[in-house]
Amino acid sequence: MRVIFMGTPEFSVPVLEALVAAGHEISAVYCQPPRPAGRGKKDRPSPVQQKAEALGLEVRTPVSLKTPEAQEDFAALGADIAVVVAYGLILPQAILDAPKKGCLNIHASLLPRWRGAAPIHRAIMAGDPETGICIMQMDAGLDTGAVLLREATAIGAEETTAQLHDRLCDMGAKLVVTALEELPQLEALTQSDIGVTYAAKIDKSEARIDWSQSAEAVDRKIRGLSPFPGAWCDVGGERLKLLASRTAVGMAPAGTVLDGMTIACATGAVEILLAQRQGKKPMSPADILRGLTLPEVLI
């Protein structure tokens, strides 16, 4: 099948690789333009652009798809279908209509739950027992299209967004290949209006830990915001990122350091399993405590 691939971050890379491995003809790869990154703030191609160029594929990085020129260039590719995963631009109707079989989106949630920008983070932070992948026919709405295939997976009790992200990457890559193989036989199921939730983009202002919350809420925030932007607490004026955790037994005023890096919450306690000091790499609690003394109570 002649496919236009549209994606930008690391999450999209396994999907591109799977489509190529399955023998589909990639007529072009669309991704976001290179952005300034690193200490020198030099423009850095996205992970998808780097992979596409390594595979010898044509890469296009338009700033917008709203112009007549961009839409004409897209339609001129004569694609059978477009596969879209975390591309980063809204697709105008002219783009959605251009491929013969439309545009398929790989979405990392069990729609209609967690439509929007940050479904993996929000599922963990909300304490959802499961999430998954949906292969969706795109329409003009925000993740509102009919679903062709879905696959669920349990969220582990100590799983972080980074870990779940990687699992869902692999699931999405396999499921979209199946969708393309079985496309004529698949039934497009309209999403229910019941149970709709929206996964708002993560704001850094959400990342500070409030120990007066329950241990479950604190643990979910730590895991849900790991690795980016990283939940954090203040230790003697230094911002300490908390990157992995689990709930623990303990009872004391909220913020009390009980043992090592186990911290009391409003109810229960949270044991920190991985943390990161400013300017340093992520470390175990033992390594953190060799160079950093925690106060009796964190605020």
Side-chain angles (χ1 to χ4, degrees):
M1 196 175 291
R2 186 170 173 82
V3 179
I4 296 173
F5 182 77
M6 309 180 80
T8 298
E10 194 65 43
F11 185 84
S12 310
V13 171
V15 180
L16 176 59
E17 293 174 322
L19 292 172
V20 171
H24 294 288
E25 178 189 352
I26 308 300
S27 55
V29 173
Y30 278 72
C31 51
Q32 289 286 291
R35 307 290 191 200
R39 292 183 178 178
K41 296 298 180 183
K42 295 182 179 179
D43 282 351
R44 179 182 298 172
S46 70
V48 165
Q49 181 174 347
Q50 294 178 51
K51 175 55 66 174
E53 290 175 347
L55 292 170
L57 302 173
E58 179 185 350
V59 176
R60 298 183 178 183
T61 58
V63 175
S64 171
L65 293 173
K66 295 180 180 179
T67 66
E69 294 79 12
Q71 294 170 9
E72 289 168 7
D73 289 345
F74 188 90
L77 291 168
D80 296 310
I81 202 163
V83 173
V84 185
V85 51
Y87 175 44
L89 285 182
I90 294 174
L91 304 190
Q93 194 64 49
I95 296 292
L96 295 173
D97 294 340
K100 299 179 182 68
K101 301 179 187 298
C103 300
L104 297 187
N105 177 251
I106 303 170
H107 188 73
S109 81
L110 297 176
L111 294 166
R113 187 160 178 79
W114 300 129
R115 294 173 179 172
I120 302 176
H121 302 75
R122 297 298 178 189
I124 292 178
M125 292 170 71
D128 289 4
E130 66 174 8
T131 186
I133 291 289
C134 283
I135 307 299
M136 177 191 70
Q137 286 184 333
M138 296 184 71
D139 61 18
L142 176 62
D143 300 327
T144 55
V147 175
L148 297 173
L149 282 177
R150 68 173 62 222
E151 183 177 345
T153 184
I155 299 176
E158 297 180 16
E159 197 162 26
T160 65
T161 284
Q163 293 164 337
L164 182 56
H165 168 281
D166 290 349
R167 289 206 297 117
L168 292 175
C169 276
D170 293 338
M171 286 175 58
K174 293 173 184 175
L175 204 60
V176 78
V177 169
T178 299
L180 293 182
E181 290 174 352
E182 301 178 359
L183 196 59
Q185 293 80 42
L186 295 179
E187 180 183 2
L189 299 176
T190 301
Q191 291 185 41
S192 172
D193 293 330
I194 300 171
V196 174
T197 58
Y198 290 92
K201 185 178 180 181
I202 298 296
D203 192 295
K204 290 182 179 180
S205 65
E206 299 178 68
R208 182 163 188 167
I209 290 296
D210 178 1
W211 301 107
S212 68
Q213 294 182 322
S214 69
E216 290 77 14
V218 171
D219 172 58
R220 294 197 304 257
K221 175 174 279 192
I222 291 170
R223 293 185 293 108
L225 297 182
S226 176
F228 182 84
W232 61 275
C233 64
D234 184 277
V235 178
E238 179 180 341
R239 183 173 293 194
L240 180 67
K241 276 191 178 183
L242 310 175
L243 299 174
S245 61
R246 62 186 170 209
T247 55
V249 176
M251 185 179 297
T256 301
V257 179
L258 300 175
D259 179 36
M261 290 189 71
T262 298
I263 317 300
C265 302
T267 57
V270 167
E271 179 184 359
I272 306 303
L273 304 176
L274 188 69
Q276 184 177 11
R277 297 187 65 182
Q278 291 177 324
K280 298 184 181 297
K281 296 180 179 180
M283 292 183 280
S284 69
D287 289 337
I288 288 284
L289 293 174
R290 287 192 184 97
L292 182 68
T293 300
L294 299 184
E296 292 184 1
V297 178
L298 296 174
I299 56 173

